[in-house]
Amino acid sequence: MRAFSFILALLASMSANGTPLSSRTTSPPPTTQIVYQFPNETWLENIAIRQTGQLLVTVLSAPELWQVTLDPKSSQHALNANTNKPLASATLVHRIPDVTGLLGIVEMQQSDVFYVVAGNFSYDTYTSTSGSYSIWKIDMRRPSPHAVASKLTDIPEGVALNGMAALNMSQGLLVVADAGAGVVYTVNVDTGNYSKTIDDPTMKPNSSLAIGINGMKIRDEYLYYTSTAQKLFSRIPIDTTSGTPTGPAEIIATNVFGDDFSLDQAGDAYVAENPWDVVAKVTSGGEVSVVAGNLNSTLVAGATSTAFERTSGDGSVLYVTTSGGIGTPVRIEGGKVVAIYI
C-alpha cells in the first residue's frame, strides 16, 4: 500500500469541519474529453503548450518529458461530441538521468526553448530529497519530437523545487518556487546564476503539509501563486528586472487547495486542486467556484496543472493534467490530459 496517510488525514480533517467544496458555486457541467491517458501509477505534474499546439507534460513518477500531439482531423469534432475516443498520441521527448521525477516547466526567450525542474521527490511517502534539484534546458527547435537537453544549473539549497514562471524574457530571467522552503529563486538562463529573491510568510509550508508556494504565473508585474499548505491564492508585486518584491503580498482567496494554475485574459485563475480532484475558478475579486470535478469523480482525479490552448487564439480549451488520483478517495488510474471547454 502506498503511504498516503498525510492526504487521507487532510481529507478526514476537511470532512470533520465540513467539506470546503460544498460552499462553492458550481458552473454547469462543461464539455470535456480525455485527450490522452498514461498507464496506471503515472503522475503527470505540469504542462506547457508549444506554439504548434502540441502539449509538453512533465512526469513526477519518472524523470520524463512527454509530448502529446492532438489529431487535427478529429480533436475538434470529438470535443464537441464529447466522445470517449482518445484525441492524441504521446511520444517520449527526453528522460533526465540521476533524478526520480520532473516538475515545473516554462517556455523562455526563443520560441520552443523550455526549462524544467528535475529532482528527487517520492510520491510514495510525499518526501523530497533536499539538494537534489536542478534546472534543465530543453531545446525543441529540432524536428519534433527530438530535443536537445542540457543541465542549466544545480540548486543545492533547494528543498523541493516545484513551479516556474517566466519573469523577464529579454533578460532571460525565470522564477522557481521552492515549495519545501517557501521561498522563490530568480534564475538567469543565460548564465545559470540564481539567487533567493522572495521569502514571504504566505509562501511557507506548515506542520500538516510540507508544500508551500507551488504554482506561479506573472502578469502585469505581479507574481500570482498558490500556497498549498496554507490553502491560499495570492499575489505579490515584483520587480521584473530582479525578481525582488516591490510591496507586500495580497491574499486574493482562501480555502484554495491549489497546485498549478493558468490565468485567462480577464485575469481569472483556473486552479488545479490536488487532491480535491477539482479545477476551480478564482476571480480577481476572490470569488471561488468549481469548474469541473469533485471528490467522487475521476474526471480530473488528482488535478495538478492547467494551461490554455494557444493555436485558436480564443483560449476556449483548457487542458488539465492529473496524477491519476494517487492518494485521493477516488480509485487510482493512469494520469491523463483532459480538455475542458470553458
Side-chain angles (χ1 to χ4, degrees):
M1 294 293 292
R2 299 200 174 276
F4 281 104
S5 58
F6 74 100
I7 285 184
L8 297 178
L10 282 171
L11 292 169
S13 174
M14 294 170 202
S15 298
N17 297 313
T19 303
L21 300 180
S22 64
S23 62
R24 296 180 180 178
T25 59
T26 302
S27 304
T31 300
T32 63
Q33 174 64 44
I34 296 174
V35 175
Y36 189 86
Q37 188 155 23
F38 287 76
N40 283 352
E41 300 192 27
T42 302
W43 180 312
L44 304 184
E45 175 62 16
N46 216 309
I47 185 172
I49 314 296
R50 298 181 66 187
Q51 63 175 351
T52 57
Q54 295 159 314
L55 319 178
L56 295 177
V57 294
T58 63
V59 180
L60 184 59
S61 51
E64 297 175 348
L65 178 68
W66 285 76
Q67 177 173 282
V68 177
T69 302
L70 283 78
D71 180 354
K73 296 181 180 180
S74 64
S75 60
Q76 189 70 32
H77 170 74
L79 279 170
N80 286 329
N82 210 16
T83 70
N84 292 318
K85 180 181 178 181
L87 305 182
S89 59
T91 306
L92 178 64
V93 173
H94 194 75
R95 183 179 176 93
I96 291 178
D98 304 320
V99 293
T100 62
L102 306 185
L103 295 102
I105 181 169
V106 66
E107 185 176 25
M108 286 290 294
Q109 292 177 308
Q110 307 97 340
S111 180
D112 248 7
V113 177
F114 296 83
Y115 293 83
V116 299
V117 172
N120 295 340
F121 185 93
S122 171
Y123 72 96
D124 283 339
T125 61
Y126 227 67
T127 56
S128 172
T129 303
S130 297
S132 68
Y133 288 86
S134 56
I135 309 296
W136 285 68
K137 177 180 178 180
I138 309 292
D139 190 339
M140 297 289 294
R141 290 175 294 179
R142 297 181 65 185
S144 176
H146 301 290
V148 177
S150 58
K151 183 187 287 188
L152 172 66
T153 187
D154 291 305
I155 302 185
E157 301 93 331
V159 178
L161 301 189
N162 200 321
M164 288 200 295
L167 174 65
N168 189 312
M169 291 283 193
S170 63
Q171 294 186 17
L173 300 178
L174 61 80
V175 286
V176 56
D178 189 337
V183 300
V184 176
Y185 290 94
T186 296
V187 181
N188 187 312
V189 301
D190 295 322
T191 65
N193 294 333
Y194 66 90
S195 61
K196 183 172 68 176
T197 47
I198 307 179
D199 187 344
D200 190 87
T202 61
M203 300 177 175
K204 299 299 179 182
N206 58 33
S207 59
S208 298
L209 185 61
I211 301 178
I213 182 170
N214 196 328
M216 301 193 300
K217 293 292 184 293
I218 291 176
R219 174 78 62 87
D220 298 330
E221 298 186 340
Y222 278 91
L223 174 68
Y224 291 80
Y225 56 96
T226 57
S227 189
T228 305
Q230 297 187 52
K231 298 200 286 287
L232 301 177
F233 183 74
S234 304
R235 70 175 188 173
I236 190 168
I238 189 171
D239 184 335
T240 56
T241 64
S242 67
T244 57
T246 59
E250 171 192 354
I251 296 173
I252 298 173
T254 60
N255 219 10
V256 178
F257 205 20
D259 199 326
D260 212 334
F261 64 95
S262 52
L263 296 169
D264 67 11
Q265 294 179 352
D268 297 330
Y270 288 79
V271 183
E273 293 187 288
N274 179 20
W276 283 356
D277 305 328
V278 161
V279 173
K281 179 180 179 180
V282 181
T283 69
S284 56
E287 296 179 2
V288 183
S289 59
V290 174
V291 174
N294 60 67
L295 284 172
N296 299 311
S297 168
T298 59
L299 176 61
V300 288
T304 54
S305 66
T306 71
F308 282 102
E309 65 176 344
R310 292 178 61 174
T311 53
S312 73
D314 61 5
S316 61
V317 178
L318 182 73
Y319 294 106
V320 182
T321 55
T322 78
S323 68
I326 296 174
T328 71
V330 299
R331 62 184 180 275
I332 293 176
E333 60 177 8
K336 60 193 176 187
V337 179
V338 179
I340 301 176
Y341 262 138
I342 299 301

